[in-house]
């Protein structure tokens, strides 16, 4: 009988804990097993939302899907306008319900939060964090919504949207708080600032360079630097994370702290590589600037072989050329191996003039010229004075095909994105995977295996090597400052990051008759897995870049962070013991259910 009573009491306590009634609201001060959903009694009452609203300098809003009109009627004018709008990355960033991708097959679909704190100040962020913690709400942070793995959107959540916290300032002699060190020129950017705005401040106004992202619309204080962050010239200037001098952040207990090497060095280390949305909300960061080189430039083109055998030889020859001539601090961006026996070139360089670039490429061009029956090559070299690299007027005049202007009525002056990024905007991803390829992979004694592997992989899908996303061959400064961060140490052995991604930018999974073609998508995923398997087999001890990785990555803790994971988890537990911040495959997320709602 005693056991029956105990069992009844046990069952009663579970039921009353997981489904609190209005008469018996859950005591918010107790750690909850599950976060609160909108249909539950524990969800804050209207009055409580109103008092949150009143405490803000910004505002509280109900986010709306940018394609809401299409759910009613695809053919309507408002839907057609919405579809046009969501192919403009600046538009997607201008509404709290927007994301840069539509979703990921069997992973996530772009969804809106129940409420958004449209933060204007650090105090707004504090209010939102305190509110979410007090009411056990799922909290999401979004700056630009670029996250491939959907970590900046979630249903049944409160969103902190930092888009309005966009400000930049320059300090010619910055010293981190509490540190005694030589002052350096730096820029400080607010949480919502995009790289275009940071570049226009540092380069356009102050003739300096700041190491940010290739894509102009990626956030300068959010997931990019917190996950590592590679730009076209990272082999010279290092990672985004390595350039952070100081950050202000709001931690899970609602405190505002300033983190740098002299104050809170543990969390300072963690937020430089350990991933966004995990350790707190970064409200501003100060970034090191560098002397501007004279020139930036672009090499574009392609090399095609007329049959498989010639292509195999070409791949090998090109990899040797890459290792000998391009794997250094002058070069960045990418080349890709295609199934039609073509290598596509989209490379950027810094600190070289046209003559020097021509000389660098002459060994490869000579080799190709010796085999006119087997190969055709097209190559263009474009030089941009470094101080004009983010000047839309100059670019529109001199390299107009490279830029797409923000033509919406709300556009601010000077807003553009690089045209090659257009096909990624509002894409629905079938898959997206990355793997670091160590320098040893390209060594003479391995080059045959390397080229065979890449050739075989290219039979399945296009394989792109991003040479600026591996730091083997980088400048000593880039490596030294990189090693002070929590980025996966595999990056220092890597000459390049291999990326394979496929999707469709005309698929809208939430709209009837515009869903994904499942058969086609699954087939592509399978091909990609086969190709990736070949690379992983050839370089098994490596890892993947957390910001550009497979949603379904196995053993993600080690693959994303290597030996740094244990320390990152310790810091997560210290600063956020209750797990206020959660995102998919982020540090500490293994302690939560897949939707981040219930503690396991
Ligand atoms: C078109 C495109 C181009 C890209 N190019 C590059 C590139 O050149 N180099 C590169 O390294 N990566 C690149 N990326 C990947 C990019 O680094 C990641 O998508 C990154 O997560 C974007 O960060 P965000 O803050 O802009 O995006 P968001 O989606 O807003 O945020 C990403 C993550 O950071 C968190 N977060 C955002 N703001 C904050 C904050 N203030 N405090 C704490 N957490 C926050 C979010 O919760 C989420 O987990 C690209 C992505 C896209 C879609």
């Amino acid at each position: 009988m005693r056991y029956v009573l105990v069992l009844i009491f046990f069952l009663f306590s579970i039921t009353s804990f997981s489904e609190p009634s209005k008469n018996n609201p859950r005591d918010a001060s107790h750690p909850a097993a599950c976060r609160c959903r909108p249909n539950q009694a524990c969800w804050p009452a209207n009055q409580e939302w109103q008092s949150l609203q009143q405490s803000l300098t910004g505002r509280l809003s109900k986010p709306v899907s940018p394609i809401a009109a299409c759910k009613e009627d695809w053919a309507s004018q408002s839907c057609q306008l919405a579809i046009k709008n969501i192919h403009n990355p600046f538009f997607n960033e201008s509404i709290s319900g927007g994301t840069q991708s539509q979703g990921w097959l069997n992973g996530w679909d772009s969804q809106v939060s129940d409420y958004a704190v449209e933060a204007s100040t650090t105090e707004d962020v504090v209010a939102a964090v305190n509110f979410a913690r007090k009411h056990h709400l799922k909290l999401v942070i979004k700056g630009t919504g670029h996250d491939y793995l959907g970590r900046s959107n979630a249903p049944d959540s409160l969103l902190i949207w930092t888009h309005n916290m966009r400000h930049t300032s320059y300090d010619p002699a910055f010293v981190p708080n509490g540190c005694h060190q030589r002052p350096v020129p730096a820029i400080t950017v607010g949480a919502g600032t995009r790289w275009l705005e940071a570049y226009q401040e540092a380069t356009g106004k102050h003739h300096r360079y700041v190491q940010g992202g290739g894509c102009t619309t990626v956030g300068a204080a959010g997931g990019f630097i917190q996950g590592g962050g590679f730009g076209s010239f990272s082999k010279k200037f290092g990672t985004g994370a390595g350039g952070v001098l100081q950050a202000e952040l709001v931690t899970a207990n609602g405190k505002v702290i300033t983190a740098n090497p002299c104050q809170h060095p543990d969390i300072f280390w963690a937020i430089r590589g350990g991933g966004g949305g995990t350790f707190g909300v970064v409200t501003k960061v100060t970034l090191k600037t560098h002397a501007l080189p004279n020139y930036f430039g672009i090499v574009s083109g392609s090399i095609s072989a007329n049959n498989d055998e010639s292509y195999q030889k070409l791949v090998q020859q090109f990899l040797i050329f890459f290792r000998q001539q391009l794997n250094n601090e002058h070069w960045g961006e990418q080349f890709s191996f295609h199934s039609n026996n073509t290598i596509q070139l989209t490379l950027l360089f810094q600190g070289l003039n046209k003559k020097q670039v021509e000389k660098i490429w002459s060994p490869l061009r000579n080799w190709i010229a010796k085999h006119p029956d087997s190969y055709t090559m097209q190559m263009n070299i474009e030089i941009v004075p470094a101080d004009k690299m983010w000047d839309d007027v100059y670019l529109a005049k001199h390299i107009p095909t490279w830029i797409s202007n923000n033509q919406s009525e709300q556009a601010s002056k000077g807003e553009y994105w690089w045209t090659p990024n257009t096909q990624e905007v509002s894409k629905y991803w079938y898959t997206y995977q990355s793997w670091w390829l160590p320098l040893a992979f390209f060594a003479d004694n391995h080059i045959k295996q390397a080229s065979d592997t890449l050739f075989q992989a290219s039979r399945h899908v296009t394989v792109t090597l991003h040479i600026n996303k591996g730091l083997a061959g980088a400048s000593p400064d880039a490596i030294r400052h990189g090693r002070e961060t929590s980025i996966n140490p595999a990056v220092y052995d890597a000459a390049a990051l291999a990326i394979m991604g496929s999707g469709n930018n005309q698929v809208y999974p939430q709209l009837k008759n515009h869903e994904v073609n499942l058969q086609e998508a699954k087939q592509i995923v399978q091909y990609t897995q086969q190709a990736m398997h070949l690379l992983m087999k050839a370089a098994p001890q490596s890892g993947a870049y957390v910001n550009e990785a497979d949603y379904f990555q196995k053993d993600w803790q080690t693959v994303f962070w290597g030996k740094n994971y244990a320390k990152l988890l310790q810091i997560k537990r210290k600063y956020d013991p209750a797990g206020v911040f959660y995102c998919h495959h982020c540090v500490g997320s293994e302690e939560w259910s897949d939707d981040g709602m219930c503690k396991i």
Side-chain angles (χ1 to χ4, degrees):
M1 182 62 184
R2 209 163 57 132
Y3 291 114
V4 174
L5 283 176
V6 168
L7 184 66
I8 290 171
F9 175 73
F10 177 61
L11 288 174
F12 172 78
S13 52
I14 294 181
T15 332
S16 58
F17 184 70
S18 55
E19 287 182 321
S21 74
K22 269 275 180 228
N23 300 332
N24 181 23
R26 187 166 63 203
D27 179 356
S29 65
H30 279 89
C34 288
R35 304 189 204 272
C36 195
R37 291 180 192 269
N39 59 357
Q40 292 178 315
C42 52
W43 188 253
N46 283 345
Q47 242 178 344
E48 289 169 303
W49 287 110
Q50 270 166 24
S51 47
L52 173 62
Q53 153 82 72
Q54 280 155 12
S55 71
L56 301 174
T57 307
R59 68 182 200 122
L60 186 71
S61 66
K62 282 253 180 206
V64 178
S65 161
I67 51 171
C70 302
K71 289 179 187 158
E72 310 283 321
D73 179 7
W74 171 267
S76 67
Q77 231 180 355
S78 38
C79 170
Q80 290 313 301
L81 178 63
I83 296 296
K84 181 171 171 243
N85 282 340
I86 64 166
H87 289 91
N88 173 348
F90 288 96
F91 174 83
N92 293 331
E93 293 178 351
S94 70
I95 55 168
S96 61
T99 49
Q100 292 292 344
S101 302
Q102 288 292 310
W104 187 306
L105 183 69
N106 297 327
W108 63 278
D109 286 344
S110 181
Q111 302 212 39
V112 296
S113 298
D114 276 80
Y115 283 93
V117 166
E118 300 185 3
S120 293
T121 61
T122 299
E123 290 69 34
D124 287 351
V125 174
V126 171
V129 170
N130 285 341
F131 192 84
R133 192 187 59 252
K134 178 174 168 204
H135 294 284
H136 304 293
L137 305 184
K138 184 162 180 189
L139 189 60
V140 189
I141 313 161
K142 177 159 63 191
T144 68
H146 267 72
D147 198 83
Y148 287 111
L149 288 84
R151 297 171 177 125
S152 49
N153 79 97
D156 300 341
S157 65
L158 169 63
L159 171 71
I160 298 178
W161 188 49
T162 64
H163 178 68
N164 297 329
M165 297 175 75
R166 297 197 316 283
H167 50 81
T168 55
S169 61
Y170 179 73
D171 182 345
F174 177 81
V175 180
N177 295 5
C179 294
H180 302 281
Q181 60 189 57
R182 196 169 51 86
V184 293
I187 66 164
T188 297
V189 300
T193 309
R194 283 81 57 98
W195 280 115
L196 181 63
E197 292 147 344
Y199 289 133
Q200 288 175 341
E201 174 75 28
T203 305
K205 291 193 196 154
H206 299 283
H207 208 78
R208 301 280 299 171
Y209 178 72
V210 60
Q211 185 53 66
C215 178
T216 59
T217 54
V218 167
F224 176 91
I225 55 157
Q226 292 177 60
F230 301 94
S232 307
F233 310 116
S234 279
K235 274 217 157 103
K236 166 71 178 169
F237 301 106
T239 58
V244 178
L245 298 171
Q246 176 165 291
E248 177 187 88
L249 69 155
V250 177
T251 50
N253 59 5
K255 295 273 177 307
V256 182
I257 63 171
T258 297
N260 62 38
C262 313
Q263 293 178 183
H264 306 287
D266 52 357
I267 202 166
F268 183 60
W269 177 80
I271 58 166
R272 292 177 303 143
T278 306
F279 302 95
V281 187
V282 170
T283 44
K284 62 179 178 185
V285 288
T286 303
L287 305 160
K288 185 191 312 174
T289 66
H290 308 263
L292 202 59
N294 289 338
Y295 302 105
F296 291 124
I298 308 168
V299 167
S300 58
S302 60
I303 316 170
S304 297
N306 62 2
N307 60 42
D308 285 5
E309 201 189 327
S310 307
Y311 190 53
Q312 259 177 307
K313 285 188 191 146
L314 171 67
V315 172
Q316 179 164 336
Q317 198 66 28
F318 190 84
L319 293 181
I320 294 170
F321 169 71
F322 155 62
R323 194 196 67 218
Q324 291 178 345
Q325 304 289 349
L326 305 182
N327 189 40
N328 58 55
E329 56 188 61
H330 292 293
W331 293 92
E333 289 305 334
Q334 46 196 277
F335 44 83
S336 42
F337 300 99
H338 295 256
S339 60
N340 64 355
N341 292 342
T342 297
I343 300 176
Q344 204 71 41
L345 310 170
T346 313
L347 290 151
L348 265 77
F349 58 87
Q350 63 80 28
L352 298 169
N353 60 32
K354 199 166 179 177
K355 235 179 165 173
Q356 290 168 312
V357 172
E358 274 165 355
K359 194 166 169 215
I360 288 167
W361 281 78
S362 63
L364 184 73
R365 283 174 130 174
N366 292 343
W367 183 84
I368 285 169
K370 278 189 202 148
H371 306 88
D373 298 339
S374 304
Y375 305 110
T376 46
M377 180 172 184
Q378 289 170 345
M379 184 174 145
N380 252 324
I381 304 170
E382 260 133 348
I383 297 278
V384 181
D387 60 349
K388 302 287 185 216
M389 190 68 183
W390 292 281
D391 177 336
D392 64 312
V393 177
Y394 178 91
L395 299 173
K397 191 165 169 206
H398 293 90
I399 48 169
T401 54
W402 282 93
I403 69 162
S404 298
N405 287 98
N406 179 8
Q407 289 178 345
S408 86
E409 281 171 19
Q410 288 77 33
S412 299
K413 198 167 162 272
E415 285 181 349
Y416 72 90
W417 67 93
W418 300 113
T419 303
N421 287 131
T422 305
Q423 49 87 25
E424 285 211 8
V425 184
S426 274
K427 204 158 189 166
Y428 183 72
W429 293 101
Y430 303 157
T431 187
Y432 197 98
Q433 312 194 3
S434 73
W435 198 250
W436 273 304
L437 297 179
L439 183 56
F441 179 82
F442 303 94
D444 277 338
N445 62 1
H446 195 268
I447 198 73
K448 175 83 176 70
Q449 196 189 337
S451 52
D452 285 352
T453 303
L454 285 165
F455 172 79
Q456 289 304 337
S458 76
R459 304 301 90 180
H460 298 293
V461 287
T462 298
V463 186
T464 304
L465 300 200
H466 293 241
I467 65 175
N468 51 312
K469 295 176 181 170
L471 292 191
S475 69
D477 259 11
I479 293 173
R480 186 162 55 87
H481 292 300
R483 286 198 187 277
E484 292 162 4
T485 71
S486 48
I487 301 174
N488 190 340
V491 72
Y492 309 108
D493 296 327
L497 181 74
I499 294 186
M500 305 173 200
S502 296
N504 188 325
N505 65 4
Q506 302 299 320
V507 160
Y508 310 100
Q510 299 166 40
L511 302 180
K512 213 162 166 256
N513 300 326
H514 298 277
E515 298 99 338
V516 63
N517 175 338
L518 268 181
Q519 207 186 345
E520 176 197 88
K522 282 183 178 166
Q523 182 78 83
I524 291 174
V525 174
Q526 197 191 350
Y527 290 153
T528 310
Q529 282 166 344
Q530 285 165 348
M532 188 47 93
H533 179 72
L534 294 171
L535 297 194
M536 287 174 159
K537 215 170 114 196
Q541 301 305 324
S542 199
Y545 173 33
V546 59
N547 280 347
E548 299 184 321
D550 188 359
Y551 186 91
F552 301 102
Q553 181 64 56
K554 290 201 180 79
D555 192 20
W556 53 269
Q557 294 93 332
T558 311
V559 169
F560 293 164
W561 288 289
K563 69 177 173 54
N564 287 340
Y565 190 75
K567 189 172 160 195
L568 283 166
L569 187 59
Q570 238 177 11
I571 296 168
K572 168 75 175 171
R573 287 178 176 152
K574 173 180 165 188
Y575 283 91
D576 184 15
V580 171
F581 301 109
Y582 165 90
C583 45
H584 178 74
H585 287 183
C586 295
V587 173
S589 62
E590 63 274 62
E591 294 173 0
W592 291 84
S593 57
D594 280 349
D595 62 0
M597 290 310 268
C598 294
K599 192 128 194 181
I600 297 169

